[in-house]
Amino acid sequence: MARERKLQFPEGFLWGTASSAHQCEGGNVNNQWYRWEQQGRTLTGERSAVAANWWQQAERDFELAEQMENNALRLSLEWSRIEPEEGRWDESALERYRVLLSDLRRRHMTPLVTLHHFTDPLWFADRDGFAREENIRYFVRFVRFVVEHLRDLCSFWLTINEPNVYAFLGYLTGEFPPGEQRALRALHVLRNLMAAHVQAFYAIRELQPEGQIGYCLNYRLLEAACSYSPLDRVVAGLQETFFNWLALKLAEGERLPLPLRFALSAVPRAAGARDYHGINYYTRDLVAFDPRRPGELFGRRFPRPGAPMQDPGRGGYFGEVYPEGLYRVLHSVYRSTRGNKPLYVTEHGLNDVEDRLRPRAILEHLAMLHRAIREGLPVRGYFHWTLVDNFEWNEGWGAHFGLVELNPRTQERRPRPSASMFGEICRANAITESIVERYAPEAAATIFGPVTAAGSGARVLI
């Protein structure tokens, strides 16, 4: 009898889900996103309100993650709860986070704590936030405070989530608060965010020498629509540089390309200021030259015709499902960085309310991740976005990324089939042939390779 084919992951591999405070907790009324919602500036006009009610009952969702045998969970601390006014610390908020982290540890789940996930206290935003370099000190003071008080419960820190998204959507396209459209200001915000990461890194290292400290960027593959078109290749390359690689170059302390080195100062002490690299990956775009789009570096983005697509959003499409992109991004980041630091997929997921694509998408992305590991890349964990449906920023409640469906009005939860599948993967620390047969049999050849007439796999990866 033929042995069951499987893709076995390394011992100690972290399996978990990712989340953020504002999207899950509810009742965050002291940050700039709350104000954005109150002004009716989300695309749907919706507000986060109680969100997924984590501030009151996060533990019930932690139990769902435990049932999936996740051994890790990524969550963030809401700065505006802990420091609602400049210099005033809310001890009750800090105690609630202690309860949450203690609960995760009791469930044998490693907490990965994000210190900044898109939200700023109103008092900080009203001082121009990260647009002013002198304001970085406030963030570093916050980091020192929480690490001093939580280091007995956490040693795995993510300083800043997706600084490239925060800078460009908030200050270039105007889709996020503060809703500005000023290219040079967006670049300075990005530079200051990377400087904030570096300063936070050294602050944590001083307080907790054994801590693991990193940051994560969103990597969206941007490819020339026509590989034979020099204009398509140029604009795709420019968009890739600005969105994907500029933040990484700043964080690595690399020399910036002209003319950026005249516009942006280098980040002091940047080289080596991370213990791992966090990678958020969702999709790719094709890019065609379009002289009518100077604000997008003369490039028009669109999905590959005929590609499997995520559910559309109010703000446009969420993108195609492109598993090979994760493999390519992992290799690109590893080649572009120094010191052979570990890699973590800190977010990957898709908008899919009916769970029609998610099971196969998870399996095929994990197969690509496994391929990268086989080729020697030090990938140490995978965090799926997300555990339960949550308030998806400007999309409001119209996007559904959860392994668990959430009705925000009734707070009822209903696990999707992909939740059961993800639990089986976590328990096995592997993708097995039987898991694929139950949840996405059409993906078997993609994941394991073709089967010979004798019934044995052409590629058996154990």
Side-chain angles (χ1 to χ4, degrees):
M1 184 175 179
R3 182 170 51 170
E4 182 181 47
R5 296 176 296 175
K6 64 179 177 178
L7 306 184
Q8 187 73 50
F9 286 81
E11 184 178 354
F13 192 82
L14 290 186
W15 295 101
T17 56
S19 60
S20 87
H22 187 77
Q23 293 174 273
C24 290
E25 288 177 357
N28 280 313
V29 299
N30 287 315
N31 66 43
Q32 93 284 25
W33 264 99
Y34 174 82
R35 180 163 60 192
W36 186 262
E37 294 165 22
Q38 300 309 304
Q39 294 169 344
R41 300 185 69 176
T42 62
L43 294 172
T44 61
E46 295 172 312
R47 302 173 182 180
S48 54
V50 299
N53 201 26
W54 274 26
W55 197 244
Q56 303 297 326
Q57 295 183 313
E59 293 87 342
R60 65 177 171 178
D61 288 335
F62 293 176
E63 183 176 357
L64 293 175
E66 182 184 26
Q67 290 170 3
M68 284 189 277
E69 293 199 24
N70 289 183
N71 58 13
L73 188 140
R74 180 184 165 205
L75 74 168
S76 72
L77 307 181
E78 177 57 40
W79 182 5
S80 70
R81 281 193 190 272
I82 295 172
E83 191 180 7
E85 299 173 9
E86 194 272 310
R88 181 174 73 82
W89 306 103
D90 189 324
E91 296 291 341
S92 64
L94 192 68
E95 180 56 31
R96 176 59 178 153
Y97 286 118
R98 287 193 62 82
V99 170
L100 295 180
L101 294 177
S102 297
D103 188 76
L104 290 173
R105 290 171 64 89
R106 180 180 64 81
R107 298 177 193 275
H108 307 289
M109 297 167 68
T110 298
L112 169 54
V113 173
T114 305
L115 296 165
H116 186 277
H117 197 127
F118 291 165
T119 54
D120 300 322
L122 286 172
W123 62 263
F124 181 77
D126 289 342
R127 298 182 186 191
D128 277 345
F130 287 106
R132 292 183 180 272
E133 185 175 3
E134 59 266 29
N135 288 341
I136 294 172
R137 61 191 173 97
Y138 296 116
F139 174 66
V140 177
R141 182 181 65 183
F142 162 71
V143 169
R144 283 187 173 277
F145 179 82
V146 296
V147 173
E148 283 176 350
H149 288 82
L150 299 176
R151 59 186 167 182
D152 60 317
L153 297 173
C154 179
S155 59
F156 195 9
W157 306 97
L158 194 156
T159 56
I160 298 177
N161 176 78
E162 297 184 346
N164 49 347
V165 172
Y166 176 101
F168 292 133
L169 268 62
Y171 293 86
L172 180 62
T173 68
E175 298 168 68
F176 278 19
E180 297 185 14
Q181 294 178 311
R182 300 164 63 183
L184 187 59
R185 190 166 165 93
L187 291 174
H188 282 287
V189 169
L190 180 64
R191 184 265 175 203
N192 290 341
L193 285 165
M194 301 321 299
H197 156 71
V198 170
Q199 292 184 37
F201 172 87
Y202 288 111
I204 300 170
R205 175 65 77 238
E206 178 184 328
L207 293 167
Q208 191 182 52
E210 76 281 10
Q212 292 297 297
I213 312 155
Y215 62 94
C216 67
L217 294 173
N218 182 297
Y219 295 91
R220 189 176 183 117
L221 283 182
L222 298 161
E223 300 183 335
C226 176
S227 60
Y228 299 108
S229 167
L231 290 174
D232 286 5
R233 292 200 304 270
V234 167
V235 294
L238 285 172
Q239 289 191 358
E240 272 258 305
T241 296
F242 273 82
F243 186 76
N244 288 337
W245 306 115
L246 178 55
L248 191 64
K249 287 180 178 294
L250 287 164
E252 291 289 296
E254 292 184 7
R255 186 177 176 86
L256 298 179
L258 290 171
L260 289 175
R261 71 183 67 160
F262 297 119
L264 298 177
S265 58
V267 175
R269 305 174 70 198
R274 69 279 182 274
D275 297 312
Y276 68 88
H277 295 282
I279 293 169
N280 295 357
Y281 169 78
Y282 290 90
T283 189
R284 72 161 171 181
D285 286 320
L286 301 183
V287 183
F289 173 70
D290 189 337
R292 300 165 296 180
R293 296 174 183 259
E296 298 177 52
L297 301 174
F298 302 102
R300 176 174 56 89
R301 295 183 291 112
F302 56 94
R304 179 174 61 86
M309 296 292 293
Q310 302 179 52
D311 293 345
R314 186 66 67 90
Y317 65 91
F318 274 100
E320 70 169 288
V321 178
Y322 182 54
E324 186 180 342
L326 178 59
Y327 169 82
R328 292 170 55 189
V329 165
L330 288 166
H331 269 284
S332 294
V333 172
Y334 193 65
R335 286 196 308 267
S336 302
T337 54
R338 306 172 183 176
N340 299 324
K341 298 293 185 181
L343 307 174
Y344 289 89
V345 177
T346 41
E347 288 182 26
H348 161 258
L350 62 158
N351 180 30
D352 183 13
V353 66
E354 295 181 356
D355 219 40
R356 61 190 175 87
L357 297 176
R358 188 178 288 109
R360 178 173 182 172
I362 291 174
L363 289 166
E364 292 185 341
H365 280 81
L366 288 176
M368 285 293 171
L369 189 155
H370 185 272
R371 176 182 169 190
I373 293 173
R374 289 199 340 264
E375 293 173 355
L377 269 63
V379 186
R380 302 286 190 253
Y382 170 88
F383 293 81
H384 188 79
W385 186 274
T386 182
L387 179 56
V388 298
D389 288 341
N390 56 32
F391 189 78
E392 187 54 38
W393 305 113
N394 243 15
E395 291 285 341
W397 291 107
H400 305 86
F401 283 84
L403 294 170
V404 177
E405 181 182 352
L406 169 70
N407 182 323
R409 183 177 57 83
T410 65
Q411 290 294 309
E412 180 182 0
R413 271 88 166 143
R414 184 180 68 84
R416 295 183 165 105
S418 53
S420 298
M421 184 196 73
F422 191 58
E424 291 188 37
I425 294 170
C426 297
R427 279 189 285 276
N429 194 33
I431 298 174
T432 66
E433 195 168 15
S434 59
I435 291 173
V436 176
E437 287 175 353
R438 281 196 299 279
Y439 294 98
E442 69 280 7
T446 303
I447 293 169
F448 297 114
V451 177
T452 65
S456 60
R459 287 190 299 132
V460 180
L461 308 174
I462 297 177

